[in-house]
Amino acid sequence: MAVDVLTETVIARPRAEVAAYAGDPTNAPHWYTNIVSVHWRTSPPLAVGSRLDFVARFLGRTLTYTYEIVEYSPDRLVMRTEQGPFPMETTYTWHPVDADHTRMTLRNRGEPSGFAKVSAPMMAAAVRRANIKDLAALKALLEGADAGRRLPGDV
């Protein structure tokens, strides 16, 4: 059984601002509850072929995995990992609702193997709960930021 979880939210910020912040993986620890750290394996800036190591806490375990950027545009970011018992693809999309609002979708897809295959339904439910929390945190972070205030992760 494959895991395929799609969540979305509307954020009261322009598409370019949401995409710039959420599409920078180094900002992930600021809005992803489970992401502990992100480290570049390749040199910035982000581009197709970039590789980043993520450390996460999920379902009581510490997981380390490497994502490779396989698609990157102003409206879409796709990252994929192949290693481990649960290869995962994460896709972000950003679509303007109007000049000041963006619909962001977060999709996680994977095909578990081995023992992880048995836990796929539980894994999908946990991913859905985490994604809902993460998008709510991102929305609160971006909507709470004043125009003159810097966001976490800004240089």
Side-chain angles (χ1 to χ4, degrees), residues 16-127:
E17 184 179 326
V18 176
Y21 189 80
D24 179 349
T26 58
N27 288 330
H30 299 290
W31 61 279
Y32 269 102
T33 303
N34 297 324
I35 302 296
V36 176
S37 64
V38 178
H39 301 283
W40 288 89
R41 285 187 142 220
T42 56
S43 298
L46 194 68
V48 171
S50 293
R51 295 173 57 83
L52 299 106
D53 290 334
F54 284 69
V55 177
R57 294 275 310 149
F58 188 67
L59 297 176
R61 296 180 57 202
T62 298
L63 308 170
T64 302
Y65 50 94
T66 301
Y67 265 122
E68 180 173 350
I69 306 304
V70 296
E71 187 178 333
Y72 184 50
S73 71
D75 297 319
R76 185 175 164 92
L77 170 65
V78 181
M79 305 181 286
R80 191 174 296 143
T81 182
E82 299 295 331
Q83 84 269 20
F86 197 79
M88 183 66 68
E89 180 180 272
T90 299
T91 302
Y92 303 152
T93 61
W94 306 282
H95 298 288
V97 174
D98 58 35
D100 298 318
H101 293 83
T102 302
R103 179 176 313 283
M104 179 173 169
T105 63
L106 172 56
R107 183 178 190 189
N108 289 103
R109 296 184 318 154
E111 185 70 44
S113 61
F115 179 72
K117 204 173 230 179
V118 175
S119 63
M122 181 186 76
M123 178 82 70
V127 168

Side-chain angles (χ1 to χ4, degrees), residues 6-19:
L6 178 68
T7 52
E8 67 177 45
T9 192
V10 174
I11 300 173
R13 288 285 190 242
R15 186 210 50 82
E17 184 179 326
V18 176

